[in-house]
Amino acid sequence: MRISLWVSVIVVAGLFGWGAWQRRWIADDGLIVLRTVRNLLAGNGPVFNAGERVEANTSTVWTYLIYVGAWVGGPVQLEYVALYLALTLSVLGVVFTMLGTARLYAPSLRGRRALMLPAGALVYIAVPPARDFATSGLENGLVLAYLGLLWWMMVCWSQALRAPGPANAAPVFRGGPPTIRRQPVGPASNARSVSGFFDGALAFVAGMSVLIRPELALIGGLALVMMLIAARDWRRRGLIVLAGGLVPVAYEIFRMGYYGLIFPGTALAKDASGSKWSQGFVYLSNFNNPYLLWAPAILLIGLAAVVMVTRGRPWGIRHTTAPGQGWLARTVQSPQAVVAFMLVSGLLQALYWIRQGGDFMHGRVLLTPLFCLLAPIAVIPLVLPDGRRMARGAGYLFVGATSLLWVSIVGWSLWVANSSGMGPDATRVTYSGIVDERRFYAQATGNAHPLTAADYLDYPRMRAVMTAIENTPDGALLLPAGNYDQWDVVPAIPPPPDAPPDVKGRTGPHTVFFTNLGMLGMNVGLDVRVIDQIGLANPLAAHTARLEDGRIGHDKNLFPDWAVAEGPFLKTRPFIPAYLDEDWIAQAEAALECPATDAMLNAIRGEMGPRRFLSNLMHAYSLTQYRIDRVPLYELERCGLEVPEPMREPYTGMPATGP
């Protein structure tokens, strides 16, 4: 069985790694993370723009993991640090999951002849988005590694209490994963200390879920609840709470004090607590339809049923009654409960994302629930009949059924692995707002594997923005023009004529207002402020209300008039483009004086010190809840501020009076 297991693991890991490498790329959103890492390396802190404390990345662990990788890697380009980390973690996630599932079945197969065959793992790596996001520079690979490790550790934890021998038998853990041997009573205290260490390690891993991705707290939190229920005494419960909560709570205090928010800025920008059920079901359909995911679901359910029959005594385990453990505790700390935990976790993740509306990237956010649901059957045992537990005829019947179902899964996997996915709609933004992100950027850049920021210079407007920055040494606000080869320029306010020579000689500020933050932020210097209308890096946009009919993931849209109003830029004609309104700019400038808005901006732009940190900490909830109206006139009304005098007379249809 061990040989077949390791052959399966090596084959699946090799296929997944090779398939992901064939589709290697770094997404624009992956480059957003790297801009933050650049600022960390430059000493500006974990920010997207220097001097503005905005958390533009969802995964805290992924950001700092790349930072450590860049620090260790030295001269290695950041994009390649992210690429290799993502690929390695993706493959490790699949490996951990297969080993965890094999361990789940191992006790009931002891002394029997069986082959371990990949099943759910094959289904996962066959789905094209799984290979797309294995290298995308996003945290998907980290999520896989985390889930695989948590699954493996939970299975080990569930098997900590095995069939007892004499009354004085005690559990012993060796090499991390728990195993049970018959031991004299003497070493029992040592076994308990090792058991406590393993519980602490598992609690730590479970607690880190919220820093991998916030919604994974549904998984890690459930694991911690199970551990607390199964704990033998209050001392063990205290250890679990401390190990599981220390780092997340400490970082949450830092986030509230430093960023003035109770969750990542990306969650604020996308209103992660909101709901768009109809769009969520569109997203689910978009993921299912190209691959007919219901087909492997039926086949895997059939395989699971066969495994349940052929494995013999339930999970091959009889629990001891440890001191302080009642019926509920023993039930929770059991393989059956851990399987239910993973399945429920997958369903909760799927439900969360469907409620949220999914994503604009094809399949991306549903990969996590798919991975969870497939974990308990990542590999399956093909039990060879031995005539001891069932008649050989029945045994061969089950072998035939298992083989037929497994071959069907292999056939489906081969078909899906070579499918065209979304087909002709892959690179078009249709009514659903969903695209195949990798193919979209490969087509837009003309590069099959866009990996570095330099590769994205071939994306529309990118080379033009570099030219525009070079041609405006005195500073400017750059706005995307209708022509992909140029940018509209709003000049910076020049220094007064009587300014000292050192002031006159300074290079003016540059701000670029554009949706694609990653490719832009990584191609320009850290002295260039890069903001967007969606709110990932723009605090004003982030604090606007979500548009009900906006494209999913892009459903906030701040008018560029605000960017002119809040910056040191000329705000009247002829210095502003024709599509901007002088009155709107004046109204936005007045609206920025709203006391609550000023306090919100000061929380992230004011000089950081102990008083600022404590103030942000105390007001983080109210700052997170604060919203402004994206229409300047309505924002003035909301704040009770006076409307500035119009720059020109409003059009009435009557001839102008006067000479």
Side-chain angles (χ1 to χ4, degrees):
M1 186 178 74
R2 289 184 179 179
I3 295 176
S4 62
L5 170 63
W6 283 107
V7 168
S8 296
V9 168
I10 292 170
V11 168
V12 170
L15 287 173
F16 189 34
W18 177 79
W21 184 256
Q22 295 301 309
R23 304 166 81 98
R24 64 193 179 278
W25 70 304
I26 297 290
D28 176 67
D29 283 33
L31 294 175
I32 292 177
V33 180
L34 302 188
R35 166 90 172 191
T36 301
V37 175
R38 281 177 66 196
N39 272 300
L40 274 168
L41 293 170
N44 297 326
V47 299
F48 191 81
N49 291 305
E52 199 166 51
R53 294 181 294 277
V54 173
E55 190 176 14
N57 309 320
T58 303
S59 175
T60 302
V61 173
W62 182 235
T63 300
Y64 285 97
L65 194 61
I66 296 178
Y67 170 69
V68 171
W71 183 73
V72 173
V76 179
Q77 196 168 340
L78 274 178
E79 291 91 328
Y80 291 107
V81 172
L83 173 71
Y84 293 124
L85 271 176
L87 180 59
T88 301
L89 290 170
S90 295
V91 174
L92 280 177
V94 173
V95 169
F96 273 127
T97 303
M98 295 177 71
L99 293 178
T101 306
R103 185 180 182 89
L104 180 73
Y105 297 131
S108 61
L109 299 175
R110 189 167 294 128
R112 304 176 70 182
R113 295 183 302 160
L115 297 176
M116 280 293 181
L117 302 175
L122 271 183
V123 170
Y124 182 81
I125 70 170
V127 178
R131 285 168 283 135
D132 286 345
F133 291 103
T135 63
S136 64
L138 295 163
E139 68 280 352
N140 291 74
L142 175 63
V143 170
L144 287 196
Y146 172 79
L147 291 175
L149 177 62
L150 182 63
W151 166 244
W152 177 76
M153 294 184 76
M154 287 294 286
V155 171
C156 293
W157 173 77
S158 73
Q159 296 176 344
L161 299 174
R162 295 286 182 81
N168 63 355
V172 177
F173 295 77
R174 298 182 64 185
T179 57
I180 302 299
R181 293 170 52 197
R182 298 184 180 185
Q183 290 280 71
V185 173
S189 60
N190 179 60
R192 284 194 295 271
S193 66
V194 178
S195 170
F197 175 81
F198 184 82
D199 280 3
L202 176 55
F204 175 81
V205 171
M208 291 298 290
S209 59
V210 70
L211 299 181
I212 304 292
R213 276 193 66 93
E215 72 276 3
L216 293 185
L218 295 172
I219 300 177
L222 182 55
L224 288 172
V225 169
M226 292 175 67
M227 294 185 69
L228 288 172
I229 293 173
R232 301 173 185 176
D233 50 45
W234 286 105
R235 182 178 179 183
R236 182 64 59 89
R237 291 187 181 96
L239 170 66
I240 292 169
V241 170
L242 181 64
L246 182 61
V247 174
V249 170
Y251 187 81
E252 180 61 17
I253 293 172
F254 167 77
R255 171 182 285 145
M256 294 168 68
Y258 189 77
Y259 297 110
L261 295 176
I262 59 175
F263 42 64
T266 52
L268 176 65
K270 298 184 180 183
D271 268 354
S273 60
S275 64
K276 284 192 173 183
W277 285 101
S278 60
Q279 177 62 27
F281 285 110
V282 169
Y283 188 76
L284 177 63
S285 176
N286 176 271
F287 184 43
N288 170 71
N289 288 346
Y291 316 118
L292 304 179
L293 291 173
W294 54 266
I298 293 173
L299 295 172
L300 288 172
I301 290 172
L303 270 177
V306 173
V307 169
M308 291 286 288
V309 173
T310 58
R311 64 184 166 81
R313 187 177 66 248
W315 310 104
I317 297 176
R318 290 180 287 118
H319 280 75
T320 61
T321 302
Q325 274 202 325
W327 171 84
L328 178 61
R330 294 195 307 274
T331 301
V332 167
Q333 192 175 357
S334 68
Q336 297 95 320
V338 169
V339 170
F341 152 76
M342 207 61 177
L343 295 177
V344 169
S345 294
L347 292 173
L348 286 175
Q349 291 293 303
L351 188 65
Y352 169 82
W353 282 114
I354 292 172
R355 178 183 183 274
Q356 168 70 10
D359 192 36
F360 61 93
M361 303 186 197
H362 170 63
R364 179 199 169 200
V365 297
L366 290 181
L367 291 174
T368 295
L370 178 66
F371 193 76
C372 291
L373 293 172
L374 293 174
I377 199 163
V379 294
I380 56 104
L382 178 64
V383 181
L384 304 178
D386 56 14
R388 289 181 296 172
R389 289 177 172 83
M390 67 174 63
R392 286 189 179 272
Y396 284 116
L397 179 63
F398 282 113
V399 168
T402 304
S403 301
L404 180 61
L405 290 169
W406 184 76
V407 168
S408 299
I409 286 175
V410 172
W412 176 89
S413 299
L414 289 172
W415 169 69
V416 166
N418 294 282
S419 72
S420 59
M422 290 180 65
D425 285 341
T427 59
R428 293 188 300 160
V429 182
T430 62
Y431 79 95
S432 71
I434 305 166
V435 298
D436 183 326
E437 196 83 346
R438 183 188 64 84
R439 289 173 62 185
F440 176 87
Y441 281 117
Q443 182 185 79
T445 61
N447 188 331
H449 304 289
L451 291 171
T452 67
D455 292 335
Y456 279 93
L457 287 174
D458 292 324
Y459 188 80
R461 294 193 175 98
M462 279 301 101
R463 292 193 186 276
V465 76
M466 307 300 290
T467 302
I469 291 174
E470 185 178 347
N471 290 340
T472 53
D474 295 330
L477 168 66
L478 302 180
L479 302 172
N483 185 338
Y484 285 173
D485 293 326
Q486 70 181 50
W487 286 71
D488 290 330
V489 175
V490 180
I493 298 174
D498 58 348
D502 61 324
V503 173
K504 287 187 175 182
R506 291 177 189 170
T507 301
H510 278 98
T511 297
V512 187
F513 187 83
F514 193 49
T515 306
N516 300 89
L517 292 172
M519 63 180 76
L520 183 59
M522 283 297 288
N523 274 304
V524 301
L526 295 179
D527 58 333
V528 177
R529 183 171 180 247
V530 179
I531 58 174
D532 62 321
Q533 74 271 35
I534 301 170
L536 294 176
N538 186 343
L540 281 175
H543 284 273
T544 59
R546 189 182 194 187
L547 302 176
E548 290 301 319
D549 57 349
R551 183 190 177 197
I552 191 68
H554 298 71
D555 37 15
K556 291 190 176 181
N557 190 3
L558 189 72
F559 298 110
D561 307 73
W562 289 91
V564 180
E566 71 163 341
F569 307 112
L570 298 172
K571 297 172 172 55
T572 57
R573 304 199 187 283
F575 304 107
I576 61 174
Y579 51 81
L580 296 184
D581 188 288
E582 290 174 299
D583 288 333
W584 276 48
I585 293 172
Q587 291 164 10
E589 191 174 20
L592 289 170
E593 300 299 320
C594 178
T597 302
D598 182 65
M600 179 270 291
L601 292 175
N602 263 331
I604 61 173
R605 293 176 181 169
E607 184 178 354
M608 178 51 64
R611 292 188 65 180
R612 170 65 59 196
F613 188 92
L614 289 174
S615 175
N616 286 358
L617 185 65
M618 296 296 296
H619 298 97
Y621 179 80
S622 60
L623 290 170
T624 303
Q625 299 300 312
Y626 184 64
R627 294 293 182 272
I628 67 173
D629 198 300
R630 69 194 191 105
V631 178
L633 180 61
Y634 299 160
E635 175 62 10
L636 287 172
E637 293 177 357
R638 186 190 69 83
C639 285
L641 300 175
E642 291 189 9
V643 179
E645 290 294 325
M647 294 286 185
R648 57 191 176 194
E649 292 185 11
Y651 177 72
T652 62
M654 300 295 291
T657 58

